[in-house]
C-alpha cells in the first residue's frame, strides 16, 4: 500500500477490551480488510474464521446489487500484530457551537491504515466477502458506508486464545430473529407484507382474535409472537405463522418478484397479488366446511374447534396442522395440472370437515372410551399421512398412489380406511374421461372435415 488512509474513529472500552468504532467506505473495506486465512501464520484461527464462509454469500451480494433499501450491520475487525495506529484529536468550533461539542469529542481520533498493520474479519466474513464481490460488479457501491469495529489481535499463544474467546462469545451470544419475527418485520418478502396487510385490511382475518399474533408470557407481561399452535381454549382460527404458510401455498402463479425474499416487489405487483390471494383465501375458507360463516355465527369459536366433551366433532379447518396440509396438497394438485382451482374447491367442499372423520382422522387420536373424545397427533408421520390422503381425495394420479396411502393409514391408525380404493379410484376414471374428451375435441377440430367446416 503506497499511501496512508485516515479513518475517523472513537476509542472505547468494554470489559478488558479496548476497541475502536469507525466508519469506512466499501472501497476501503474491500481494499484494507482481509480474511484470516489470507494472512497466514495462525492456521487454527484462520480455519476457525474461514469455516463459516459459504455459498450463501451470493444472497448477500445479490442483496447489495439489487436492493435500494440495502443495509449491513457492523463488521468486527481484528488488527494482526496488536493495536492499530490511533491518533486522538480534539474538535474545535466557534463559541456558539462549542457547547454542543462538550463531552461529544471524548476519545475521538483517527485510525491510520498505511500497510504496517493487517486487518482481518473476526465477525462478518460473509458480509465482507459479499462487499468484495459486489464492488467488483458495481463500482457505484465503492462510496457506500459501513460501520466497522476494530479490536487488537496479538500473534502469541495468549493473544490467539483471547481472540478465539472473543469470536466464540460474539457468535454464542448473537440471537438471530425467529421466522415469526421476520414475518412481523420483513419489508422485502412479499408474502410477509401481504400477510400483515390481511391482518390490517381483511374483513374476516383482520377481526380481533381470528388470527393469533401474540402470546403473553412472563411475569412482566412481555409479548411474544405466536408460534404455529393454537391453544385448545383459544378463539383464534390460526396463528400469524400458519397464515403466512397458507398465503405462500395459495400464492402460486404470481409475478416472479413475489418469490424473491431479498428484493421487494413493486407496489403494483403487491396490490395485484393481494387481490388474487384474498379471492383464493375466501374461496378456500368457504370450501373447507364453510369455516368463515360458521366462525362468524359462533358465540364461542373455541367450541367450534373442540366442542366440550366431544372434541372429535370439532371443525377440522380450525386446526393449523390441517390448514397447512390442505394448502400444501391444494398447491400440489393444481401446479401439477391434475385439476383446476374450481374443481379443487368442489372436492374440498365434498369432504366431511369433522376432525374425527376421514381424511382428517389421520391426525386425530380418539380415546378408547369414545371416538368423540381424543387429541391431535403431534408426530410428523400423521401430518404426512394427512397430506397423502388429501392428494388421493383431490386428484389421485394412479391406483398405486391410492393403495400406498390406504396402507399407510392402516399401519399408523391400526384400522382400515373407511373409503375404499375403488371409490377413490373413480376420481382416476373421471380425470381420464375428461382428458379423453378434451383429446377427442382437439382431434375433431384438427380433422379435414372440421377444418373445412371452420372455413
Amino acid at each position: 500500500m503506497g499511501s496512508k488512509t485516515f479513518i475517523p474513529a472513537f476509542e472505547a472500552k468494554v470489559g478488558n477490551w479496548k476497541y475502536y468504532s469507525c466508519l469506512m467506505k466499501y472501497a476501503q473495506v474491500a481494499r484494507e480488510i482481509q480474511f484470516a486465512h489470507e494472512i497466514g501464520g495462525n492456521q487454527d484461527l484462520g480455519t476457525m474464521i474461514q469455516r463459516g464462509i459459504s455459498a450463501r454469500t451470493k444472497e448477500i451480494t445479490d442483496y447489495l446489487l439489487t436492493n435500494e433499501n440495502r443495509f449491513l450491520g457492523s463488521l468486527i475487525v481484528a488488527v494482526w500484530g496488536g493495536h492499530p495506529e490511533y491518533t486522538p484529536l480534539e474538535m474545535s468550533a466557534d463559541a456558539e457551537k462549542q457547547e454542543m461539542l462538550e463531552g461529544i469529542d471524548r476519545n475521538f481520533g483517527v485510525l491510520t491504515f498505511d500497510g504496517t498493520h493487517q486487518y482481518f474479519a473476526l465477525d462478518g466474513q460473509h458480509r465482507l466477502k459479499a462487499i468484495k464481490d459486489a464492488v467488483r460488479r458495481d463500482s457505484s457501491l465503492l462510496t457506500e458506508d459501513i460501520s466497522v469495529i476494530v479490536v487488537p489481535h496479538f500473534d502469541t499463544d495468549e493473544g490467539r486464545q483471547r481472540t478465539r474467546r472473543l469470536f466464540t462469545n460474539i457468535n454464542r451470544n448473537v440471537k438471530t430473529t425467529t421466522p415469526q419475527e421476520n414475518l412481523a418485520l420483513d419489508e422485502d418478502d412479499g408474502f410477509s407484507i401481504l400477510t400483515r396487510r390481511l391482518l390490517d385490511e381483511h374483513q374476516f382475518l383482520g377481526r380481533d382474535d381470528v388470527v393469533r399474533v401474540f402470546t403473553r408470557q412472563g411475569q412482566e407481561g412481555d409479548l411474544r409472537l405466536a408460534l404455529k399452535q393454537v391453544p385448545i381454549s383459544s378463539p383464534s382460527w390460526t396463528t400469524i405463522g400458519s397464515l403466512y404458510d397458507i398465503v405462500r401455498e395459495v400464492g402460486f402463479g404470481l409475478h416472479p418478484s413475489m418469490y424473491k425474499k431479498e428484493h421487494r416487489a413493486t407496489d403494483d405487483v403487491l396490490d395485484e397479488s393481494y387481490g388474487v390471494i384474498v379471492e383464493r383465501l375466501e374461496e378456500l375458507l368457504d370450501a373447507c366446511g364453510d369455516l368463515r360463516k360458521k366462525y362468524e355465527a359462533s358465540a364461542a369459536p373455541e367450541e367450534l374447534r373442540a366442542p366440550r366433551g366431544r372434541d372429535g366433532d370439532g371443525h377440522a379447518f380450525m386446526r393449523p396442522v390441517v390448514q397447512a396440509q390442505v394448502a400444501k396438497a391444494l398447491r400440489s394438485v393444481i401446479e401439477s395440472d391434475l385439476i383446476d382451482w374450481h374443481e379443487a374447491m368442489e372436492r374440498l367442499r365434498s369432504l366431511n370437515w369433522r376432525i374425527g372423520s376421514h381424511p382428517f382422522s389421520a391426525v386425530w387420536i380418539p380415546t378408547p372410551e369414545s371416538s368423540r373424545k381424543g387429541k391431535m397427533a403431534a408426530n410428523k408421520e400423521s401430518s404426512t399421512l394427512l397430506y397423502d390422503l388429501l392428494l388421493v381425495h383431490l386428484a389421485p394420479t394412479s391406483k398405486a398412489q391410492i393403495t400406498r396411502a390406504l396402507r399407510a393409514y392402516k399401519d399408523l391408525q391400526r384400522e382400515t380406511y373407511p373409503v375404499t380404493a375403488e371409490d377413490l379410484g373413480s376420481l382416476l376414471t373421471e380425470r381420464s374421461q375428461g382428458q379423453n374428451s378434451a383429446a377427442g375435441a382437439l382431434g375433431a377440430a384438427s380433422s379435414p372435415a372440421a377444418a373445412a367446416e371452420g372455413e
Side-chain angles (χ1 to χ4, degrees):
M1 194 186 321
S3 60
K4 293 184 178 182
T5 301
F6 301 104
I7 306 294
F10 282 94
E11 184 182 63
K13 293 180 181 179
V14 60
N16 58 6
W17 283 96
K18 180 184 289 186
Y19 67 96
Y20 304 89
S21 180
C22 59
L23 196 66
M24 297 181 70
K25 299 291 184 185
Y26 280 8
Q28 296 166 337
V29 167
R31 182 177 65 247
E32 309 286 1
I33 301 175
Q34 301 169 270
F35 300 101
H37 68 274
E38 295 177 321
I39 296 176
N42 187 358
Q43 294 303 313
D44 63 328
L45 180 64
T47 301
M48 177 188 73
I49 301 299
Q50 187 183 10
R51 186 180 303 145
I53 300 175
S54 65
R56 74 183 180 91
T57 57
K58 182 181 182 301
E59 298 177 8
I60 307 176
T61 303
D62 292 341
Y63 168 73
L64 293 176
L65 291 168
T66 62
N67 196 318
E68 63 180 10
N69 296 307
R70 57 187 172 270
F71 184 90
L72 293 182
S74 300
L75 301 176
I76 299 181
V77 171
V79 187
W80 189 274
H83 291 283
E85 184 178 340
Y86 172 76
T87 305
L89 298 175
E90 290 185 3
M91 297 182 186
S92 62
D94 56 38
E96 183 180 349
K97 297 180 180 178
Q98 189 62 46
E99 185 177 347
M100 295 173 55
L101 293 178
E102 187 174 350
I104 293 179
D105 61 348
R106 176 180 65 87
N107 299 340
F108 175 71
V110 297
L111 291 177
T112 302
F113 289 74
D114 62 359
T116 59
H117 292 85
Q118 291 177 298
Y119 295 78
F120 66 92
L122 183 63
D123 181 68
Q125 60 270 21
H126 293 97
R127 280 163 280 159
L128 173 60
K129 179 69 163 59
I131 290 172
K132 288 177 179 284
D133 291 344
V135 297
R136 281 196 292 267
R137 293 167 59 182
D138 184 353
S139 60
S140 68
L141 296 175
L142 291 168
T143 59
E144 302 213 338
D145 298 306
I146 187 169
S147 172
V148 178
I149 296 173
V150 179
V151 298
H153 166 73
F154 294 90
D155 190 23
T156 63
D157 288 342
E158 183 181 354
R160 287 190 291 272
Q161 183 185 71
R162 181 174 167 82
T163 303
R164 281 195 298 269
R165 181 177 291 116
L166 177 61
F167 175 79
T168 54
N169 286 342
I170 290 168
N171 287 278
R172 181 187 300 122
N173 295 316
V174 167
K175 185 178 184 297
T176 59
T177 55
T178 65
Q180 286 73 32
E181 289 168 334
N182 291 337
L183 171 55
L185 300 171
D186 199 312
E187 284 295 343
D188 292 316
D189 175 16
F191 290 105
S192 291
I193 295 169
L194 296 191
T195 299
R196 295 195 300 267
R197 184 172 172 181
L198 286 167
L199 299 181
D200 288 337
E201 300 180 10
H202 194 267
Q203 186 177 4
F204 175 65
L205 299 175
R207 288 178 50 177
D208 290 344
D209 295 329
V210 171
V211 178
R212 184 176 173 86
V213 179
F214 294 105
T215 57
R216 186 178 296 275
Q217 298 181 0
Q219 296 180 349
E220 301 300 322
D222 55 307
L223 290 174
R224 297 183 183 179
L225 284 160
L227 299 175
K228 295 186 180 181
Q229 293 80 36
V230 177
I232 194 70
S233 59
S234 171
S236 298
W237 167 61
T238 194
T239 68
I240 185 173
S242 294
L243 178 60
Y244 172 81
D245 290 343
I246 296 170
V247 168
R248 281 196 66 88
E249 294 292 355
V250 303
F252 51 84
L254 302 177
H255 190 276
S257 61
M258 282 295 297
Y259 309 102
K260 297 179 179 179
K261 287 190 174 184
E262 73 285 353
H263 188 71
R264 183 185 176 103
T266 65
D267 289 345
D268 287 344
V269 168
L270 289 170
D271 287 342
E272 181 182 354
S273 301
Y274 180 75
V276 172
I277 286 173
V278 164
E279 183 176 357
R280 290 176 180 174
L281 282 176
E282 290 179 348
E283 292 181 1
L284 182 63
L285 287 166
D286 293 342
C288 294
D290 214 5
L291 186 281
R292 178 170 52 169
K293 184 181 292 185
K294 290 180 178 178
Y295 185 100
E296 291 175 335
S298 176
E302 60 271 22
E303 286 285 314
L304 182 61
R305 173 184 297 105
R308 188 169 300 178
R310 46 189 182 87
D311 297 9
D313 292 336
H315 200 301
F317 210 55
M318 286 289 289
R319 304 283 185 164
V321 64
V322 174
Q323 297 160 12
Q325 300 311 317
V326 166
K328 182 180 173 184
L330 182 62
R331 179 174 187 167
S332 176
V333 297
I334 293 176
E335 287 195 325
S336 299
D337 291 327
L338 299 175
I339 53 176
D340 62 18
W341 176 268
H342 174 74
E343 181 62 27
M345 293 300 102
E346 289 302 312
R347 293 186 181 183
L348 285 175
R349 193 172 280 109
S350 69
L351 297 176
N352 183 339
W353 285 87
R354 174 180 168 271
I355 189 64
S357 297
H358 58 271
F360 311 110
S361 54
V363 292
W364 177 252
I365 305 174
T367 62
E369 301 82 27
S370 171
S371 62
R372 291 193 166 188
K373 296 181 180 180
K375 63 180 181 178
M376 296 296 291
N379 56 75
K380 184 177 179 181
E381 291 79 8
S382 296
S383 298
T384 301
L385 175 58
L386 174 57
Y387 172 74
D388 291 339
L389 289 171
L390 284 165
L391 291 180
V392 299
H393 273 278
L394 291 174
T397 58
S398 66
K399 291 182 179 179
Q401 181 193 22
I402 296 172
T403 301
R404 285 194 301 270
L406 301 193
R407 185 186 301 121
Y409 183 89
K410 187 170 185 178
D411 290 344
L412 193 63
Q413 299 294 79
R414 298 291 188 267
E415 63 181 23
T416 301
Y417 194 63
V419 182
T420 66
E422 289 73 20
D423 287 341
L424 291 170
S426 66
L427 296 175
L428 283 170
T429 304
E430 290 176 18
R431 188 159 61 85
S432 176
Q433 290 173 345
Q435 290 173 341
N436 290 337
S437 297
L442 180 61
S446 304
S447 67
E453 184 179 353
E455 292 176 351

